[in-house]
């Protein structure tokens, strides 16, 4: 089912806001199902309304990185294992992918990751405290390649402004895509967002692209001959 929901725009008129995903369960393997059942209490964060208290959730004060749309979670699990000093929140709408991530986290005995099954845009707007994130990762978001679907792309001016507010000053958003026109659109939107600046994939940020583990959707794009672009924008205000 195509899902839409109502929000109020700045003039307080009701708008039909368009989601960046279509919720479909797809096939879930017994192992993914078991992981969701057995490991959710350890890694899952339930839907709710209160702002998330990261210190309480992780039991320590540490930098927090949010990954939006982690898919099967391979990049998130690898980052969490490589950086035990950092805490990670992963948000997905696809339950089988969350099951896969929980399995990985359990195998590698990670304690620095929490997972939410929710619309990341809603969570950002309502549950992530202002200036609380060290970074946001958005790797291979759905490209919605048809022109009439471009409005479904996650990276839009309101999303960019939301991300800016939730990043702490100096924090950054790291994006990767194999769709050239989506990359151009991302650059255009993010560079027009006051308080965000292109940090380039150079200098201290060049290592981010190297350190990012290749994901399933990245492999798919490369097989199609697509060039992959990594972008990094930093909060400057
Ligand atoms: C093309 S896949 C990429 C997955 C993974 N990052 C990778 O590179 O393999 C995009 C993912 O984003 C998820 N997604 C799309 N919109 C989302 C939203 N608003 N909140 C959370 N997840 C979302 C989809 O369910 C899908 O798994």
């Amino acid at each position: 089912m195509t899902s839409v929901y109502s929000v109020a725009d700045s003039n307080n008129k009701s708008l039909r806001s368009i989601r960046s995903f279509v919720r479909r369960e797809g096939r879930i393997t017994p192992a993914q199902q078991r992981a969701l059942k057995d490991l959710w209490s350890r890694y899952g964060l339930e839907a709710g309304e209160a702002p998330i208290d990261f210190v309480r959730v992780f039991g320590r004060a540490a930098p927090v990185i949010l990954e939006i749309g982690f898919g099967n979670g391979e990049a998130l699990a690898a980052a969490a294992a490589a950086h035990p000093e950092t805490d990670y929140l992963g948000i997905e709408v696809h339950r089988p992918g969350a099951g896969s991530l929980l399995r990985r986290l359990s195998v590698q005995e990670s304690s620095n990751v929490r997972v939410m099954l929710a619309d990341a845009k809603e969570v950002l707007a309502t549950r992530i405290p202002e200036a609380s994130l060290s970074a946001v990762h958005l790797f291979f978001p759905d490209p919605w390649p048809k022109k009439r679907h471009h409005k479904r792309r996650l990276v839009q001016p309101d999303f960019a402004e939301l991300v800016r507010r939730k990043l702490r000053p100096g924090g950054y958003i790291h994006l990767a895509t194999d769709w050239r026109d989506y990359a151009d659109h991302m650059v255009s939107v993010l560079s027009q967002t006051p308080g965000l600046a292109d940090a380039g994939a150079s200098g201290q940020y060049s290592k981010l692209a190297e350190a990012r583990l290749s994901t399933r959707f990245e492999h798919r794009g490369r097989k199609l001959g697509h060039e992959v672009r990594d972008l990094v924008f930093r909060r400057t205000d």
Side-chain angles (χ1 to χ4, degrees):
M1 190 183 82
T2 306
S3 33
V4 288
Y5 60 101
S6 287
V7 294
D9 71 4
S10 52
N11 296 324
N12 240 359
K13 276 184 266 158
S14 183
L15 267 186
R16 302 285 284 171
S17 177
I18 293 136
R19 286 195 167 166
S20 58
F21 57 89
V22 178
R23 224 186 262 281
R24 49 173 115 74
E25 179 75 14
R27 204 176 69 87
I28 184 160
T29 67
Q32 289 166 333
Q33 216 147 20
R34 221 174 18 252
L36 284 168
K37 182 167 159 284
D38 297 345
L39 300 169
W40 186 257
S41 58
R42 182 163 164 208
Y43 292 111
L45 270 190
E46 288 304 336
E49 286 171 10
I52 298 168
D53 178 346
F54 287 121
V55 173
R56 193 187 57 75
V57 164
F58 289 104
R60 63 176 182 173
V64 178
I65 294 184
L66 166 65
E67 183 166 330
I68 295 175
F70 55 73
N72 282 336
E74 56 274 78
L76 178 47
H83 296 283
E85 75 288 357
T86 299
D87 291 328
Y88 291 84
L89 174 63
I91 309 182
E92 234 322 321
V93 290
H94 188 58
R95 275 167 41 86
S100 293
L101 173 60
L102 297 189
R103 288 185 69 204
R104 288 177 211 272
L105 296 177
S106 165
V107 169
Q108 66 191 35
E109 297 184 357
S110 289
S111 59
N112 57 338
V113 183
R114 294 296 181 276
V115 178
M116 292 181 81
L117 274 165
D119 180 342
K121 224 177 129 177
E122 286 183 10
V123 174
L124 265 175
T126 59
R127 304 215 45 211
I128 305 288
E130 307 286 294
S132 64
L133 301 173
S134 291
V136 172
H137 289 170
L138 182 58
F139 300 148
F140 304 92
D142 294 300
W144 293 106
K146 290 184 184 149
K147 201 162 179 138
R148 70 172 190 278
H149 288 149
H150 281 185
K151 53 185 180 289
R152 284 179 169 273
R153 289 175 166 178
L154 201 50
V155 180
Q156 306 289 357
D158 60 339
F159 173 80
E161 167 54 16
L162 195 53
V163 167
R164 181 200 64 79
R165 278 176 29 212
K166 305 300 172 171
L167 286 173
R168 60 171 178 69
Y172 63 86
I173 176 166
H174 176 187
L175 313 95
T177 183
D178 59 307
W179 287 82
R180 183 185 299 212
D181 74 315
Y182 197 8
D184 293 341
H185 171 79
M186 288 170 175
V187 171
S188 158
V189 167
L190 295 167
S191 50
Q192 286 177 56
T193 304
L196 287 182
D198 193 344
S202 61
Q204 64 178 120
Y205 297 103
S206 63
K207 296 207 169 56
L208 292 176
E210 285 165 30
R212 179 178 60 71
L213 193 85
S214 289
T215 67
R216 182 158 155 245
F217 279 85
E218 175 165 9
H219 291 307
R220 194 184 275 188
R222 287 194 191 277
K223 263 197 193 158
L224 292 170
H226 295 179
E227 185 197 338
V228 169
R229 271 172 76 187
D230 281 79
L231 307 169
V232 182
F233 278 73
R234 204 169 57 81
R235 178 171 179 180
T236 54
D237 62 351

